[in-house]
Amino acid sequence: MAKISIIGTGYVGLISGACFSEIGHHVTCVDLDEVKVNNINNKTPPIYEAGLQELLDKNVGVTLFATNDLQDAVLNSDYTFIAVGTPYKGDYIDLTFIKESAKQIGQVLKDKSSHHTVIVKSTVIPKTTSDVVKPIIEKYSQKNIGTDIGLVMNPEFLREGVAIDDFMNPDRVVIGGFDEHSSKLVKSLYDFYFDTDYVLTDTTTAEMIKYSANSLLATLISFSNEIGNLCATVGVDSQEVERGVCLDERFSPFVNNERVFPTSIKYLEAGCGFGGSCFPKDIKALHAFGEKQNLNMQMLNSVININKAQPQQIISILKNKVLNYKNKKNILILGAAFKSNTDDIRESATIPVIEMLLEMKFKISLYDPVAGKNMHKLFKEKIFLEDSLASSIQTNDIVILMTMWDEFFDLPNIINKIKPDIDLIDGRRQIGKNSVKNYFGIGLG
Ligand code: UGA
C-alpha cells in the first residue's frame, strides 16, 4: 500500500483521498482550513456527496487522516497530489494556490532523501505542469524532476453526485508523466484495483484531454439547447427531434442485435443550461487560453454565449405561454443545485432565473431537497424557502422546475391531486408533457 498526501480538501481532493483510503492506501489530506481538517477528522463531510459519509466513517483514523501540517504530510508520504482550486479570474485561471503548493512541496522535498512523486490533479491549462509546477519544485527542492522527483499530471473525471462511483469504476485513467518511471509509479496506485483503460502520455496532453473532454460535453449541451430553442419556435418537440437524430446507428449502435444508447446522449437533451464548478470555468479558461495562442476560438465562444442566454428561455416561456402570467404573483422554483444529488449551487441556472423573476416583482418560493439552504444564503429574505414539495404546490400559481431531482418525478401526482390548474414550466424536460394540464417545457413548441 502506498503513502499518499493530498494538498487541498475541496471536492476533488477529498473524494480522491476518501477513495484511495478505501482501497487501502494510507492517505493524509492537507488543508489550511482548520475547520475542514477538524470536520474530516470528526467524520463530518464538509460537502454533500452520496457515499462520502460512509467512507469517512469507515476509514478516518484507520487509513485516512487530515492535517494542516503540509511538511509532515509530505515527508511521511511517497506521493503528493496537488488538488487545490484554480479559480477563473475574468480571462485566466488563477494559479496562486498551485504555485504556493508547488513551492511548499519543493521546500519539503529538499530535505527528503527518498524518491517522491508529485501529481497535479487540479484542472490546469496546457503546459502548467511543465512550465509552472516543474520549475518551482526544482527551484525550492534543488533537485531534478525526472531523476530525484517524479512529476505527473493526472486529471480527474468525477461527476458531482456520483463521484465515488466514478472514482471506483473509472472509464479511463489518464496519466501524463514527465518521465516513464513516474507514470508507472502513479499507474501502480490505480491498476492494482481497477480494470480500466489507461492513457499513458505526457503532462501537456493530459491537461488537454481534461479540458477537451469537458469542452465537448458542454458543446453538446449548448448545441442541443440552440436546436431546442429552434424546435420550440417552429412548434415541434425537441425530444422527438433528438430521438430521431439519435437513432442514427453512429449514435446508438447495435450490439448483439440490440440498440445501445450511450450515456452521452443525455447531453443532447435541451435544458436550461449547464452550471457547476467545472464546465463554465473550464470552457472560459480554454477559450481564453486559445485566444492567447492567437486562435479565434469561435466554437467555445458560442458555447459560452448560448449557455449564458439559456436561462432567459424560462422567462420567455413564462411571458409567451403562461396565460395571464402577470396576475399570477407566486412562483415556486424547484431545484437550486446546478444538478441533482449535490448541494452545490455554483453557476446554477437557478440563480439568473431567480434574479430575473425578482426584477419582474414575482414572489419567489424555493424548494430543493438538499441545496435550498445554500440558495437561501445567497438571496436571503428575497426568497422563501419551502420545506416540502407537496406543501409548496398549494400556495403557488406557477411552478418552474430547474433541477432534475428524483423526487420531482412525483410532481404530476402531486399537482393532479392538489392543484391541477397550476402552470408548470419544465426547464429540464423531466416530466411527461401530457402528465399535467398546463405543461410548458423547454424545447417544446
Ligand atoms: C463534469 C464532467 O461531466 C465530469 O466528467 C468532470 O470530471 C467534471 O465536470 C469536472 O471537471 O470536475 P459535473 O460538473 O459534476 O461533471 O456534472 P455533469 O453531470 O457533467 O453536468 C454539468 C452541467 O451540465 C450541469 O449543470 C447539468 O445540469 C448540465 N447538463 C448536463 C445539461 O444541462 N444537460 C445535459 O443533458 C446534461
Side-chain angles (χ1 to χ4, degrees), residues 340-386:
S340 60
N341 300 322
T342 175
D343 64 349
D344 196 341
I345 63 160
R346 283 176 289 178
E347 304 268 347
S348 166
T350 302
I351 298 172
V353 166
I354 292 181
E355 283 168 348
M356 287 184 273
L357 293 171
L358 286 172
E359 191 103 327
M360 293 164 77
K361 307 282 180 235
F362 284 102
K363 277 176 74 180
I364 308 296
S365 307
L366 170 77
Y367 174 72
D368 184 295
V370 177
K373 280 193 189 127
N374 288 340
M375 195 61 85
H376 197 246
K377 273 188 214 150
L378 190 68
F379 285 99
K380 304 203 171 63
E381 70 290 341
K382 288 185 193 152
I383 61 171
F384 176 77
L385 196 56
E386 303 275 0

Side-chain angles (χ1 to χ4, degrees), residues 219 222 274 283-284 286-288 291 295-308:
T219 301
S222 279
F274 60 76
I283 315 316
K284 283 182 210 157
L286 192 61
H287 172 258
E291 295 219 314
L295 289 175
N296 191 355
M297 304 292 284
Q298 298 176 64
M299 168 77 86
L300 293 188
N301 195 30
S302 303
V303 172
I304 296 164
N305 289 336
I306 292 168
N307 194 58
K308 198 165 166 222

Side-chain angles (χ1 to χ4, degrees), residues 4-18 27-41 44-49 52 56 60 64-70 73 81-85 97 101 121-122 346:
I4 296 172
S5 50
I6 300 183
I7 317 296
T9 63
Y11 195 81
V12 173
L14 182 57
I15 299 291
S16 306
V27 180
T28 308
C29 290
V30 184
D31 208 294
L32 289 173
D33 185 338
E34 285 215 31
V35 178
K36 275 190 181 172
V37 168
N38 290 337
N39 276 341
I40 296 167
N41 284 330
T44 308
I47 47 164
Y48 174 87
E49 180 66 35
L52 183 58
L56 296 190
V60 168
L64 179 62
F65 305 85
T67 180
N68 49 22
D69 188 343
L70 183 142
F81 282 85
I82 301 178
V84 294
F97 302 125
S101 305
K121 195 85 171 134
S122 308
R346 283 176 289 178

Side-chain angles (χ1 to χ4, degrees), residues 112-335:
K112 187 172 183 262
S113 48
S114 55
H115 185 272
H116 199 95
T117 307
V118 180
I119 305 121
V120 178
K121 195 85 171 134
S122 308
T123 300
V124 289
I125 51 158
K127 292 200 183 290
T128 302
T129 306
S130 60
D131 294 2
V132 179
V133 176
K134 179 175 172 280
I136 295 176
I137 295 178
E138 286 185 326
K139 177 178 167 193
Y140 287 94
S141 66
Q142 292 176 14
K143 292 180 176 173
N144 290 325
I145 299 276
T147 49
D148 312 314
I149 301 173
L151 181 63
V152 167
M153 203 283 146
N154 170 222
E156 58 85 18
F157 299 101
L158 310 177
R159 291 163 301 164
E160 288 194 27
V162 286
I164 290 172
D165 195 44
D166 280 350
F167 193 99
M168 294 300 192
N169 303 293
D171 39 20
R172 80 287 214 193
V173 174
V174 174
I175 297 174
F178 183 77
D179 59 288
E180 216 174 294
H181 180 58
S182 31
S183 292
K184 272 192 194 145
L185 286 174
V186 173
K187 185 167 181 277
S188 72
L189 295 180
Y190 292 94
D191 73 353
F192 194 70
Y193 312 94
F194 304 133
D195 179 21
T196 188
D197 285 317
Y198 286 89
V199 181
L200 298 179
T201 182
D202 58 88
T203 55
T204 308
T205 305
E207 291 161 338
M208 268 310 289
I209 289 173
K210 168 69 192 184
Y211 270 115
S212 307
N214 276 1
S215 297
L216 174 61
L217 292 169
T219 301
L220 294 182
I221 297 172
S222 279
F223 167 81
S224 313
N225 287 344
E226 186 167 83
I227 295 291
N229 297 342
L230 185 59
C231 287
T233 308
V234 298
V236 300
D237 185 348
S238 62
Q239 282 191 330
E240 265 181 61
V241 173
E242 182 213 331
R243 185 173 149 72
V245 171
C246 289
L247 287 174
D248 181 323
E249 223 187 315
R250 287 165 293 184
F251 294 116
S252 52
F254 287 92
V255 179
N256 298 331
N257 286 332
E258 281 211 24
R259 205 184 269 277
V260 176
F261 290 94
T263 47
S264 55
I265 279 184
K266 184 93 203 55
Y267 288 79
L268 294 173
E269 288 170 7
C272 50
F274 60 76
S277 62
C278 304
F279 286 177
K281 172 175 91 95
D282 291 355
I283 315 316
K284 283 182 210 157
L286 192 61
H287 172 258
F289 174 72
E291 295 219 314
K292 277 203 185 113
Q293 313 301 309
N294 293 321
L295 289 175
N296 191 355
M297 304 292 284
Q298 298 176 64
M299 168 77 86
L300 293 188
N301 195 30
S302 303
V303 172
I304 296 164
N305 289 336
I306 292 168
N307 194 58
K308 198 165 166 222
Q310 195 62 7
Q312 178 69 45
Q313 286 297 317
I314 299 286
I315 308 300
S316 304
I317 294 175
L318 174 69
K319 286 183 174 169
N320 299 326
K321 301 207 172 146
V322 175
L323 270 185
N324 298 323
Y325 79 94
K326 283 187 182 157
N327 299 331
K328 300 176 176 172
K329 282 286 150 217
N330 299 313
I331 295 189
L332 170 67
I333 308 268
L334 292 181

Side-chain angles (χ1 to χ4, degrees), residues 371-413:
K373 280 193 189 127
N374 288 340
M375 195 61 85
H376 197 246
K377 273 188 214 150
L378 190 68
F379 285 99
K380 304 203 171 63
E381 70 290 341
K382 288 185 193 152
I383 61 171
F384 176 77
L385 196 56
E386 303 275 0
D387 53 18
S388 95
L389 179 56
S391 63
S392 55
I393 298 292
Q394 188 62 54
T395 49
N396 283 287
D397 309 311
I398 300 167
V399 179
I400 301 179
L401 193 160
M402 295 295 296
T403 312
M404 223 188 225
W405 284 98
D406 276 355
E407 191 182 341
F408 300 158
F409 283 113
D410 205 25
L411 205 50
N413 285 336

